[in-house]
Amino acid sequence: MRRPAKDTAASHRKISRRGLIVGGLQAGFVGLLGFRMRQLQVDQADEFRFLAEENRVNIRLIPPARGEIFDRNGVAIAENEPAYRITIVREDAGDVEAVVARLGKLVELDPEELERAMTEMKRSAPFLPITVADRVTWEDISRVAVNGPALPGVTPEVGLSRHYPMGRDFAHVVGYVGPVSDRDLSRYEDPPPLLRIPRFQIGKVGVESRLEEQLRGSAGAKRVEVNAVGRVMRELSRREGTGGATVQLTIDSDLQNYVQARLGEESASVVVMDLQSGDLLTAASSPSYDPNKFVRGISVADYGLLRDNDHRPLASKTVQDAYPPGSTFKMVTVLAAMDAGLVAPDETVWCPGHLEVSGRKFHCWKRAGHGHMNLEQSLRESCDVYYYDLALKVGIERIAEMARRLGLGQAHDVPMSAVTSGLVPDKQWKQVNRGADWVIGDSVNASIGQGFVLTSPLQLAVMTARIATGRSIAPRLIKTIDGIEQPGTPGESLGLNENHLRQVRRAMYAVSNNRRGTAYGSRIIADEMRLAGKTGTSQVRNITAAERARGVTRNQDLPWERRDHALFVNFAPYDNPRIAVATVVEHGGGGSTAAAPIGRDVTLQALYGEDPPLDAYPSKDRSRIKAQQERLARERPLRGAPSSDQA
Amino acid sequence: MSYLEYNVKHVPSGPRKILFLNWPLALLLGAVASVGFLMLYSVAGGSFSPWAEPQMKRFAAGFVIMLFVAMVPIWFWRNLAVVAYAVSIALLIAVEFFGAVGMGAQRWIELGPLRLQPSELMKIGLVMILAAYYDWLPVKKTSRPLWVVIPVLIILFPTALVLNQPDLGTAILLLTAGGLLMFMAGVHWGYFAVVLAALGALITAVFQSRGTDWQLLKDYQFRRIDTFLDPSSDPLGAGYHITQSKIALGSGGWTGRGFMQGTQSRLNFLPEKHTDFIFTTLAEEFGFVGAFSLLGLYALIIFFCISSALQNRDRFASLMTLGIATTFFLFFAVNMSMVMGLAPVVGVPLPLVSYGGSAMLILMLGFGLVQSAHVHRPRGAA
């Protein structure tokens, strides 16, 4: 290569000059970079630091333990028990199919659940645990744990699940919990984040639902550091949640168990109310169902059986069903008449078996008639004509007003689902709802608790309690929440004439203690335990004149759903009332034959606090009662024991 | 022989040469590489594997290469310039046919144990041939159109090959480095003014064309530009890298979160945390102080190179040193601009710090040439 003088001064100067220019440009750019660095790292540092924290830190909720529910004596009704499940982490398992196949040999896997788990696993991040078997037994968990080395990625996990040790006996009072549904969420304007935790359970019906806020507790939280794909790297801090409040019911579980057993598969309900405090000692509705099945997720077939059963096991009959009260309403009519000063106890009414009112014949249940009836006789023998006559005198407005004073026609404040307010009709109600004028015949029907009048068993118990005490006593279902006694309503005086009340009570005493009383067959002969009550038989069909002419069909000959409802209300002991009981047997036939015996058994059981001595019963009943007590004693422990299929 | 024309009387010879190395420059290179080791150790979660240890070995190898190249007289390398360029071109063409595909582009070929990126080699090759060209060209011909077109072709040919890989970052680097070298060689500034004006007009035209019938770019290309200009418009898509990178930098504050305390890189919010985006980890863990210090080290390296070049009265040595310095500058300037949101995301590593074999070895080779030029600079009277 040719090489002339290279390092000429001119060339070197040029390079130096251009080199310095480029060097200067570079220095300028370095300055720009430094300035940008300062801008990002110093001036906007706070903003970016916040964003970095937001990237990094994730808040995870820790579900609190749900509050437990006990009866008035501290017996568990709803509790939390450990529930075991098996999860698989895809990335730890490696060959998921093989691991699942091996797992399937140890534990029975539900193919449907397994398929869902496999789909979920493909969709979600590889480090997330996916449940493949839920509610497995302790034995299964042990088998999985022992075989751990052969099952990479498989982890037995334990959580808490609701369990109802009393099974079906409290299904209608306490209800059950279940997974949060869209409908549950829609009830909140701003649903608590807790409800979005997978597998979180929420109260669906009954106390579980109505006291949801108290029972739920508040969520704990842990701050975890996550990486860019959401994998938890470590826990930064943790605040445990507060468990839900412990709730104590006023129900006496021994009595409740007894009553459920006593009702058996009859479509019936019983309410027992304490006359001191208004505490509901029992609210039994039968037939019932096992709430534990709902917690687990009830099968379509099982649910179909419950739904289609004509005895309606899902209905909480004590509070949500309203029946015509029939003759149990007669105390209301007579008290209204006495309060208005329109009747004296000794005044008599002639009962020829019917009464003709504005051209229409209203029949007494006794076709031949009762003859002369005074107040006590009319209630004792349940003469209808006597009350027809009263209705004509007092009118519906005063009857309705008395009914409301005694607790009918209003939804009592108990935390159960779908508490009905029943119906106490008056002129305005009929005008608004039926668009028709009130006619005198409506009053006549209402006077014996037929026609439009509807009452729930709870309302009947309240009515009886108010007659027995003269106070505006109201029911209480929740005794304590977190140990704090809940206010009850022992009630103020109703302002009724004590004399009038005494007359009615005495007549009710005669119902079951006078040889001619309709519930004489269901009397108690232990002197200090005597009961006072009233039977009722309410028609669910119209008896046509033609049928009446050829003779009213007997209940036993009718299909079940057209038979009369049997009712019985009572309080006891007569001398010193402690409890009020309302018994309704749907389509049971006559009040005195179907409802009163149950009322008496329940009353004695409640008063003695255990199986009553046989000598409280009339001697001819004793052998039958003894057999019944033995049978129920055999059934009850089985009901109370934890159900065996809890896994 | 041409090298005899040098005034070699005062040039050191034999093992004594090692004493005449530009030692401050060598130490600065070691310091910057050490920052790299530290950061690679940190992003691996406090472990020498998988990145820090191989990187240290590579730097050691690179340092040996640098010393070796420095010991060989600079005129030997000048005579090798055409060969270096030719080999680089040949390899770039070879990679078109035999190259492995990585990150969606053909970039490297396997040569035994060595994984070679010809585009890296071309960075040195281009600087060498341009320096040799202007060394050969009589000074007065420098700005004549014919003699301007030749180096332009020398630059555009490899640039087109690299762009075809496609590797936009390296292509821009080659184009800019080549252009600056021509500028420093003394090509009349009028040429540059015309090119810059044309470029400006083109960019304006591209933006003006948007939404019209004669639109010059595809819609998705415009959207990429939008994302660059406002990363928050697409925080989880294309804007993700730059948003996360800025968060990492910004959260460092003045003094940083502390060594190995950076959450953005450790938790994988940052992509390419050990390669192109390693600067963000440094900035997050050591804050403004750390990041600015690294910038200072880089600036010092450039300073020592330029000062060495300006003292060197040999045209080839001087231009080549400036060219290597400019290439090095472009590396870190583009990388830092990218992670700080000043430039679009193009794949340019942080020199000597980012994890990567070829880039490290090629850079050390380049600094070897700079050292050789320094050691063998003409001394005494001209």
Side-chain angles (χ1 to χ4, degrees):
Chain A
M1 253 191 244
R2 190 181 53 86
R3 183 133 187 122
K6 294 297 151 181
D7 44 354
T8 57
S11 147
H12 182 70
R13 268 202 308 280
K14 184 149 229 170
I15 290 178
S16 293
R17 199 166 59 234
R18 292 287 176 94
L20 278 175
I21 291 172
V22 171
L25 284 175
Q26 293 179 353
F29 200 82
V30 166
L32 176 69
L33 289 176
F35 174 75
R36 174 67 171 169
M37 238 177 245
R38 200 196 128 86
Q39 198 182 28
L40 286 176
Q41 298 200 267
V42 179
D43 300 344
Q44 304 176 22
D46 291 343
E47 179 190 332
F48 285 119
R49 172 119 356 172
F50 173 74
L51 289 174
E53 281 300 292
E54 210 176 49
N55 261 347
R56 170 178 88 101
V57 177
N58 227 322
I59 308 264
R60 300 274 163 99
L61 291 177
I62 308 172
R66 194 174 174 82
E68 301 196 304
I69 303 177
F70 298 94
D71 88 334
R72 67 186 294 114
N73 300 315
V75 179
I77 297 170
E79 57 190 14
N80 303 318
E81 61 169 19
Y84 303 100
R85 59 176 190 271
I86 298 173
T87 62
I88 294 188
V89 175
R90 173 150 57 101
E91 65 173 6
D92 295 341
D95 185 353
V96 176
E97 306 275 328
V99 171
V100 168
R102 248 173 283 157
L103 184 65
K105 289 186 189 130
L106 296 171
V107 183
E108 205 174 311
L109 297 172
D110 178 27
E112 206 173 300
E113 192 170 1
L114 191 61
E115 193 170 322
R116 202 193 52 227
M118 297 304 262
T119 335
E120 195 184 341
M121 210 174 297
K122 284 191 197 94
R123 268 206 314 268
S124 52
F127 52 85
L128 288 180
I130 306 293
T131 304
V132 287
D134 207 354
R135 294 180 178 278
V136 294
T137 61
W138 172 245
E139 286 72 31
D140 285 341
I141 287 290
S142 322
R143 270 201 296 279
V144 169
V146 166
N147 290 284
L151 300 167
V154 175
T155 323
E157 283 190 22
V158 61
L160 286 179
S161 176
R162 202 64 157 169
H163 178 61
Y164 302 100
M166 299 286 185
R168 45 206 298 155
D169 285 358
F170 279 87
H172 292 120
V173 178
V174 169
Y176 52 85
V177 297
V180 180
S181 67
D182 289 342
R183 216 173 114 243
D184 293 324
L185 288 175
S186 70
R187 267 189 284 162
Y188 294 89
E189 197 168 303
D190 180 22
L194 198 51
L195 301 191
R196 306 218 183 255
I197 297 181
R199 294 173 189 284
F200 191 77
Q201 292 187 315
I202 190 173
K204 293 290 185 179
V205 295
V207 171
E208 291 273 30
S209 166
R210 295 286 305 276
L211 293 188
E212 171 64 26
E213 302 297 321
Q214 290 92 327
L215 288 167
R216 186 188 302 151
S218 55
K222 53 182 176 186
R223 290 170 64 240
V224 291
E225 188 178 85
V226 295
N227 71 1
V229 288
R231 180 200 299 268
V232 174
M233 305 305 278
R234 63 189 168 129
E235 195 171 300
L236 299 171
S237 66
R238 187 186 183 93
R239 181 173 53 79
E240 291 297 338
T242 329
T246 301
V247 169
Q248 196 183 6
L249 303 181
T250 57
I251 306 278
D252 178 340
S253 62
D254 283 344
L255 187 63
Q256 176 89 4
N257 292 347
Y258 170 82
V259 177
Q260 286 287 162
R262 176 68 183 83
L263 293 178
E265 292 307 304
E266 202 76 74
S267 179
S269 52
V270 168
V271 174
V272 180
M273 195 167 157
D274 182 275
L275 293 183
Q276 278 290 315
S277 53
D279 284 0
L280 294 177
L281 301 176
T282 286
S285 173
S286 76
S288 190
Y289 59 91
D290 184 359
N292 293 307
K293 279 189 180 167
F294 283 84
V295 178
R296 254 166 266 156
I298 191 165
S299 70
V300 175
D302 282 354
Y303 186 75
L305 283 179
L306 291 175
R307 189 194 49 211
D308 299 336
N309 188 330
D310 65 353
H311 282 39
R312 295 180 300 124
L314 291 172
S316 182
K317 293 169 185 143
T318 50
V319 294
Q320 77 182 60
D321 280 357
Y323 310 89
S327 299
T328 58
F329 193 74
K330 285 176 179 165
M331 282 86 81
V332 176
T333 310
V334 75
L335 277 169
M338 282 198 284
D339 207 45
L342 295 172
V343 65
D346 297 330
E347 244 176 85
T348 60
V349 171
W350 169 255
C351 169
H354 63 86
L355 183 71
E356 205 167 293
V357 180
S358 53
R360 191 176 149 196
K361 243 183 187 177
F362 287 87
H363 290 271
C364 185
W365 66 270
K366 196 171 176 182
R367 288 200 71 183
H370 287 91
H372 286 286
M373 286 274 119
N374 67 10
L375 189 157
E376 183 175 319
Q377 288 163 331
S378 74
L379 204 63
R380 180 181 79 197
E381 290 162 44
S382 206
C383 168
D384 291 337
V385 171
Y386 182 89
Y387 295 89
Y388 299 154
D389 183 65
L390 286 188
L392 297 178
K393 289 180 187 155
V394 276
I396 189 62
E397 295 302 328
R398 278 188 281 221
I399 293 175
E401 198 236 307
M402 180 57 68
R404 292 190 194 105
R405 273 169 95 178
L406 293 176
L408 305 181
Q410 57 202 272
H412 292 288
D413 181 25
V414 290
M416 290 170 68
S417 292
V419 178
T420 182
S421 56
L423 179 59
V424 173
D426 56 18
K427 289 175 180 165
Q428 195 197 346
W429 172 85
K430 193 176 177 194
Q431 195 58 255
V432 170
N433 290 281
R434 295 290 157 97
D437 283 336
W438 187 269
V439 296
I440 193 69
D442 294 333
S443 300
V444 171
N445 269 331
S447 72
I448 60 159
Q450 293 281 168
F452 300 119
V453 189
L454 292 172
T455 59
S456 69
L458 176 68
Q459 288 172 330
L460 289 178
V462 171
M463 176 192 79
T464 313
R466 291 188 178 180
I467 292 169
T469 61
R471 300 194 314 269
S472 59
I473 189 167
R476 176 176 84 151
L477 181 61
I478 305 302
K479 186 167 161 61
T480 66
I481 294 180
D482 255 348
I484 298 162
E485 190 80 17
Q486 298 299 296
T489 316
E492 308 283 307
S493 167
L494 283 166
L496 294 174
N497 187 318
E498 187 56 33
N499 234 337
H500 298 165
L501 286 169
R502 210 173 297 135
Q503 301 282 350
V504 172
R505 288 179 202 139
R506 193 189 299 142
M508 289 172 76
Y509 178 79
V511 166
S512 91
N513 291 288
N514 186 298
R515 201 166 283 279
R516 307 196 57 154
T518 52
Y520 181 68
S522 300
R523 66 194 179 281
I524 293 171
I525 64 163
D527 268 338
E528 70 285 9
M529 299 291 181
R530 300 250 176 194
L531 72 76
K534 180 73 193 82
T535 57
T537 304
S538 65
Q539 286 171 16
V540 291
R541 64 199 178 103
N542 281 319
I543 297 173
T544 57
E547 184 186 339
R548 211 174 279 282
R550 66 169 183 266
V552 176
T553 317
R554 296 187 329 159
N555 263 307
Q556 301 91 293
D557 301 331
L558 284 169
W560 177 79
E561 69 275 6
R562 299 192 61 208
R563 292 179 198 166
D564 297 338
H565 292 316
L567 300 93
F568 187 64
V569 299
N570 69 282
F571 63 88
Y574 173 69
D575 302 321
N576 175 28
R578 280 159 51 199
I579 55 167
V581 182
T583 309
V584 176
V585 182
E586 274 187 2
H587 309 295
S592 52
T593 52
I598 296 175
R600 172 180 63 177
D601 289 349
V602 171
T603 303
L604 280 171
Q605 195 78 21
L607 292 177
Y608 281 98
E610 57 182 4
D611 283 353
L614 287 175
D615 51 18
Y617 286 94
S619 51
K620 70 172 172 60
D621 293 339
R622 286 179 192 160
S623 60
R624 187 176 52 79
I625 294 294
K626 183 162 185 288
Q628 176 182 294
Q629 281 182 357
E630 281 164 5
R631 177 174 59 82
L632 295 181
R634 273 197 310 278
E635 278 178 29
R636 265 180 294 158
L638 283 176
R639 290 164 166 273
S643 39
S644 54
D645 55 342
Q646 59 181 269
Chain B
M1 294 299 285
S2 59
Y3 62 85
L4 289 178
E5 293 165 39
Y6 276 93
N7 182 352
V8 297
K9 197 165 58 184
H10 299 285
V11 171
S13 61
R16 275 181 71 244
K17 280 182 185 177
I18 207 144
L19 297 174
F20 290 85
L21 277 180
N22 193 342
W23 277 110
L25 180 63
L27 290 178
L28 281 169
L29 294 176
V32 169
S34 302
V35 170
F37 307 150
L38 207 62
M39 293 334 295
L40 289 172
Y41 178 80
S42 173
V43 292
S47 164
F48 282 105
S49 69
W51 299 309
E53 195 190 324
Q55 180 86 344
M56 288 163 101
K57 285 182 182 157
R58 275 189 210 124
F59 180 72
F63 205 84
V64 170
I65 288 174
M66 180 184 82
L67 290 180
F68 174 78
V69 172
M71 294 303 102
V72 177
I74 186 66
W75 43 88
F76 175 80
W77 295 119
R78 177 173 64 85
N79 293 344
L80 221 57
V82 179
V83 180
Y85 181 74
V87 168
S88 301
I89 291 286
L91 287 173
L92 272 178
I93 293 171
V95 89
E96 284 289 310
F97 297 105
F98 312 113
V101 176
M103 310 287 286
Q106 285 181 320
R107 288 195 178 168
W108 60 70
I109 41 176
E110 309 270 354
L111 286 177
L114 199 68
R115 179 183 272 188
L116 189 73
Q117 283 192 41
S119 61
E120 298 286 340
L121 196 59
M122 180 47 88
K123 285 166 193 161
I124 303 295
L126 186 65
V127 168
M128 283 174 78
I129 191 140
L130 287 174
Y133 172 81
Y134 283 107
D135 185 42
W136 165 82
L137 192 69
V139 176
K140 60 178 182 292
K141 289 185 183 170
T142 306
S143 292
R144 293 197 188 147
L146 175 67
W147 302 106
V148 171
V149 169
I150 290 171
V152 165
L153 290 177
I154 289 176
I155 296 167
L156 286 184
F157 186 42
T159 304
L161 287 173
V162 169
L163 203 56
N164 193 40
Q165 284 186 348
D167 183 355
L168 184 64
T170 307
I172 291 173
L173 227 61
L174 288 175
L175 204 62
T176 318
L180 283 171
L181 207 100
M182 285 174 72
F183 177 77
M184 290 185 287
V187 176
H188 195 274
W189 60 268
Y191 289 103
F192 299 96
V194 169
V195 169
L196 285 179
L199 207 63
L202 182 67
I203 290 172
T204 318
V206 165
F207 276 97
Q208 290 295 322
S209 74
R210 188 172 191 177
T212 64
D213 297 340
W214 48 282
Q215 189 163 297
L216 292 173
L217 288 180
K218 299 254 166 54
D219 278 336
Y220 77 90
Q221 289 170 315
F222 274 115
R223 277 199 297 277
R224 275 192 198 168
I225 296 173
D226 288 342
T227 308
F228 159 62
L229 294 175
D230 180 15
S232 57
S233 68
D234 186 14
L236 292 177
Y240 178 81
H241 289 193
I242 196 62
T243 307
Q244 294 298 338
S245 166
K246 277 161 76 180
I247 289 175
L249 257 94
S251 65
W254 265 109
T255 53
R257 290 173 178 273
F259 185 48
M260 310 233 302
Q261 302 298 309
T263 58
Q264 285 285 101
S265 55
R266 204 160 41 72
L267 299 175
N268 282 328
F269 285 105
L270 288 171
E272 312 275 323
K273 58 182 179 182
H274 59 291
T275 57
D276 291 358
F277 281 82
I278 195 163
F279 181 67
T280 55
T281 306
L282 173 80
E284 190 185 13
E285 298 191 352
F286 294 105
F288 177 70
V289 173
F292 197 76
S293 301
L294 183 66
L295 188 62
L297 287 177
Y298 279 136
L300 279 175
I301 287 175
I302 298 296
F303 173 79
F304 275 100
C305 286
I306 290 179
S307 100
S308 164
L310 297 189
Q311 285 166 37
N312 203 323
R313 302 184 72 81
D314 179 63
R315 204 165 146 79
F316 172 76
S318 174
L319 274 175
M320 189 211 60
T321 305
L322 286 173
I324 301 267
T326 303
T327 306
F328 184 74
F329 168 80
L330 287 173
F331 260 113
F332 77 76
V334 170
N335 180 278
M336 286 189 177
S337 304
M338 170 179 96
V339 298
M340 288 194 282
L342 292 174
V345 175
V346 288
V348 175
L350 192 61
L352 299 180
V353 176
S354 286
Y355 179 80
S358 336
M360 167 82 90
L361 292 179
I362 294 293
L363 275 171
M364 294 309 282
L365 185 72
F367 282 110
L369 293 172
V370 170
Q371 294 282 18
S372 173
H374 189 78
V375 171
H376 301 99
R377 70 183 179 272
R379 287 171 170 83

